[in-house]
Amino acid sequence: MKWKSILFFLVVLFSSSKSTGQSEIDRYKELALQHAYKEEFPQAIAYYTKIIDTNPKDSTAYYERGLLKYNVKDYIGAVDDYTEQIKKDPSQADYYFMRAMAYDKLNNNKAAIVDYSKTIQLEPSNSDAYYFRGLKKMALKKDKEALKDFDLAIAKRADNVQAITDRALLKAKKHQYKSAIADCNQAILIDPLFHKAYRARGYIKTLTQDFQNAVANYDQAIALDSKNPDYYQERGLLKIQLNQKESGCSDLKKAIESGGKNSVAISLTYCK
C-alpha cells in the first residue's frame, strides 16, 4: 500500500474519530498526519505511540499505527498492531485484510489465507480478498482452489485486470492456452495500459511456440514499462531463439542495467 493511500485512510479515520474532550489526542493525530504527509513516518509512528500511551482504549490508533508500520516495512510490528485493533473490534473487514497483507509480506501464507477468509466472511464483495487469497493458495500449490478464488474475484469485480491476468497464467500452467490467451485479451480490452497482461500474453505465446507474436507482446509491455528487467530478459531470450542474437543480447544488457538478478549469468551464457 502506497503512503499516499495510507495518508488518505488516516485523514478519513481522524476526521471520523474526533470528539469533544480529546484535544491532546487530536493534537497528536494532527502532528502524526503532518509528519506522514512529509513522509516522516518514524515521527508519525511516535505520535501514534503517544496516543496509545495516553489512551490505550483509543478506537482506531492501533490500526492507524499499523498502517504506518506496514508502509515502513515493519510487517511484524504491523501484525501486532492489527491484532490489538482486532481485539478491540473484531467486526471490521479492513483490519483482517491489512493483517493478511502484512502476513503476506512475511511469507506466512497460511495465516494470510485465514485473514483473507475472515475478510471475505465480513465483506463478501471484497474482490481483492479473493484475489490475494488465490495467490496464497497458488503459493501452497493449491491451484484448483486458487482458480476458484480468481473466478470469484472477477465475479465480484469484472474489471479486476490483475485477477484476470493471473488466472490466465494459472490456466497456461494447466496447458489451457486458448482460454489463457482469451483472459489476457480481456484484461487488455479493459485496460490497454496494463503492461502485465501483455507480458503474460507474450509468455503464453512463447509456451505455444508463437515466438514472433510473443516478441510483439513483449514490445508492448516494454513500451508501457521500460524499467522492468524481466521484460527485457524474456524478450532477449526470445530474440536469441529467433537467431536475432545482437538484438537479444542488447535486451539482456538492458535487463542487467535495470537490475535483473539473473541477467548477468544468462548474458554470459548466450552473449560471449
Side-chain angles (χ1 to χ4, degrees):
M1 181 177 288
K2 300 296 186 183
W3 77 267
K4 288 184 179 178
S5 299
I6 287 174
L7 182 60
F8 171 78
F9 276 119
L10 294 177
V11 170
V12 171
L13 287 165
F14 173 58
S15 298
S16 64
S17 65
K18 289 183 73 173
S19 61
T20 304
Q22 295 292 311
S23 59
E24 184 177 27
I25 290 176
D26 287 347
R27 184 169 62 85
Y28 287 152
K29 287 194 176 186
E30 288 174 357
L31 290 168
L33 287 172
Q34 289 173 17
H35 284 295
Y37 185 79
K38 296 176 183 177
E39 301 185 54
E40 297 169 350
F41 300 115
Q43 293 93 326
I45 290 169
Y47 275 109
Y48 271 103
T49 300
K50 287 185 177 183
I51 293 166
I52 292 167
D53 290 342
T54 303
N55 179 17
K57 295 182 179 180
D58 185 274
S59 61
T60 59
Y62 280 106
Y63 177 59
E64 293 164 18
R65 189 175 68 175
L67 292 173
L68 290 165
K69 287 182 177 180
Y70 182 93
N71 196 60
V72 297
K73 301 182 180 180
D74 177 10
Y75 302 122
I76 294 174
V79 165
D80 290 342
D81 276 353
Y82 297 142
T83 299
E84 288 300 318
Q85 189 65 55
I86 288 167
K87 289 177 183 177
K88 292 177 178 298
D89 183 1
S91 67
Q92 299 299 313
D94 286 348
Y95 301 164
Y96 293 96
F97 182 81
M98 285 308 304
R99 189 171 68 175
M101 295 285 284
Y103 278 133
D104 195 336
K105 294 293 187 180
L106 294 168
N107 294 315
N108 190 338
N109 295 326
K110 291 182 179 180
I113 287 171
V114 169
D115 274 356
Y116 285 131
S117 297
K118 185 65 176 179
T119 303
I120 290 164
Q121 180 185 335
L122 293 169
E123 188 182 351
S125 63
N126 191 318
S127 175
D128 288 336
Y130 286 107
Y131 167 64
F132 286 116
R133 188 175 71 175
L135 289 181
K136 295 299 95 184
K137 288 180 178 178
M138 276 186 68
L140 294 175
K141 302 187 185 304
K142 296 181 178 181
D143 288 350
K144 287 184 179 180
E145 293 182 25
L147 184 59
K148 289 180 181 178
D149 274 346
F150 291 153
D151 287 342
L152 287 165
I154 296 161
K156 299 298 180 183
R157 196 175 84 234
D159 65 348
N160 191 334
V161 291
Q162 186 65 71
I164 295 168
T165 301
D166 282 324
R167 185 176 68 176
L169 292 169
L170 186 53
K171 287 178 178 179
K173 185 178 177 182
K174 301 297 182 182
H175 308 292
Q176 299 170 9
Y177 300 123
K178 185 175 181 180
S179 182
I181 290 292
D183 271 353
C184 292
N185 294 342
Q186 181 185 352
I188 291 166
L189 183 64
I190 293 168
D191 184 359
L193 301 180
F194 189 60
H195 55 87
K196 292 181 181 179
Y198 293 102
R199 187 266 186 112
R201 192 166 65 180
Y203 170 73
I204 297 164
K205 292 285 187 181
T206 302
L207 294 178
T208 60
Q209 298 188 347
D210 185 0
F211 299 128
Q212 292 288 357
N213 280 321
V215 169
N217 275 279
Y218 280 109
D219 289 345
Q220 290 173 298
I222 290 169
L224 294 168
D225 183 6
S226 61
K227 296 182 179 180
N228 192 309
D230 293 337
Y231 297 178
Y232 286 111
Q233 180 174 298
E234 291 166 20
R235 187 177 69 174
L237 288 171
L238 273 169
K239 288 179 177 179
I240 290 169
Q241 194 160 350
L242 290 168
N243 294 318
Q244 301 171 14
K245 184 175 179 180
E246 183 177 351
S247 181
C249 289
S250 176
D251 272 350
L252 291 177
K253 182 179 179 181
K254 290 177 182 176
I256 294 169
E257 293 170 349
S258 300
K261 294 180 180 179
N262 302 316
S263 302
V264 173
I266 293 171
S267 182
L268 288 172
T269 301
Y270 292 101
C271 302
K272 294 179 180 179

